[in-house]
Amino acid sequence: MNFNVLKTTLLSLVAKLRGNTLSVALLALAIAFNLPYLAPEVSGRVPVMNDEVLHRQGIQHALDALNAGQNPTDVWFGNLTLGYPLFRHYQHLVYAVAALLYWPLQHALALADFMSWTRYLLLSLFPLALFAATRRLGFPPLTAAVTGALGTLLATHGLYGFDYLSYVWSGFGLYTQLWGMFLAPLALACGVHTLRSGRGFALAGALLAATLLAHLVLGYIVLISLAAIALLQWVLIEKTDSVSETDSVSGYSKANAVYRLVGLLVLIVCVSAYFLLPYVQDGAYM
């Protein structure tokens, strides 16, 4: 009897190790493809073009504010249309965070190189974000690894989607969207986890707010998706008139579905209030 138990345990462990090895191999293959394929993004210095012209100016303005001891999230954009408060109604979190990261490096690294390296790393490591999000949703490692690996194959044929053309130098230069793309799956997965379990409000709220402030459209998409998932869970509970063992343990019910969604939305509004309130107040002028 003991031998059979030991044999079963060992076989289970071997199967698990094989699954984990394959998962790691798939993720490593996707990243190993990205790193050399995207290497030209950081191997040479070329003039910036497309939307990245605006994004570089945004980071530079946030950096200037930091150097002057001012608020990097509320900057007057003097070289746009005779002057404009761009940070008051545009996704500026990326500018502020990038400026903070670049601040100690500004005398050793050109801003253009810093942006190229962050673009290169975010694009190359995007499979990791998809893997982590899929695991957070409760899928096994191999499924999550396949999801991450397939992320490298996304293409939207010039529709400004989650593919190389939206971000690389010869493409559209959607630098803030790249940060939003990396955050969006993590935010959605953590939000769904909180709806299901009632735990992780702080992390989910922070990621959802960060996605919204990094890229308003992607933040809107994630929030609408989260509400749709909450509604779907409500419908499933109503149809089955029962909950699964897992949801029963976490106390999931119709009432909790609403309370948790509202709690997340309140948390997001609180975190984003510094941006949302001026946006509403200054709407007529903008």
Side-chain angles (χ1 to χ4, degrees), residues 98-235:
L100 282 168
L101 293 174
Y102 179 64
W103 191 29
L105 305 172
Q106 59 184 307
H107 300 300
L109 184 69
L111 179 57
D113 294 334
F114 171 82
M115 291 184 68
S116 295
W117 274 102
T118 52
R119 180 174 64 244
Y120 173 65
L121 291 174
L122 287 172
L123 261 181
S124 297
L125 300 178
F126 181 55
L128 288 180
L130 291 176
F131 174 82
T134 310
R135 287 289 290 146
R136 189 63 168 170
L137 288 171
F139 290 94
L142 187 56
T143 303
V146 171
T147 303
L150 291 177
T152 300
L153 304 178
L154 291 174
T156 59
H157 303 290
L159 297 178
Y160 308 98
F162 287 5
D163 56 326
Y164 293 140
L165 186 61
S166 294
Y167 311 115
V168 295
W169 174 84
S170 60
F172 302 126
L174 307 182
Y175 187 73
T176 55
Q177 181 179 297
L178 176 56
W179 287 68
M181 179 184 81
F182 202 92
L183 289 168
L186 297 170
L188 182 60
C190 287
V192 172
H193 175 76
T194 297
L195 289 181
R196 288 174 175 173
S197 67
R199 298 189 298 270
F201 272 92
L203 179 60
L207 284 171
L208 288 164
T211 304
L212 185 69
L213 295 171
H215 196 273
L216 290 170
V217 174
L218 289 182
Y220 164 78
I221 290 172
V222 169
L223 290 177
I224 292 297
S225 300
L226 194 62
I229 291 170
L231 177 62
L232 178 61
Q233 291 179 330
W234 175 298
V235 171

Side-chain angles (χ1 to χ4, degrees), residues 42-66:
V42 293
S43 62
R45 181 77 62 81
V46 289
V48 67
M49 61 182 188
N50 296 328
D51 284 23
E52 195 161 323
V53 175
L54 173 70
H55 299 317
R56 184 181 297 185
Q57 288 295 314
I59 297 174
Q60 185 62 59
H61 278 65
L63 179 65
D64 293 341
L66 282 174

Side-chain angles (χ1 to χ4, degrees), residues 14-25:
V14 169
K16 185 176 180 180
L17 288 173
R18 283 179 178 174
N20 289 339
T21 301
L22 184 56
S23 301
V24 171

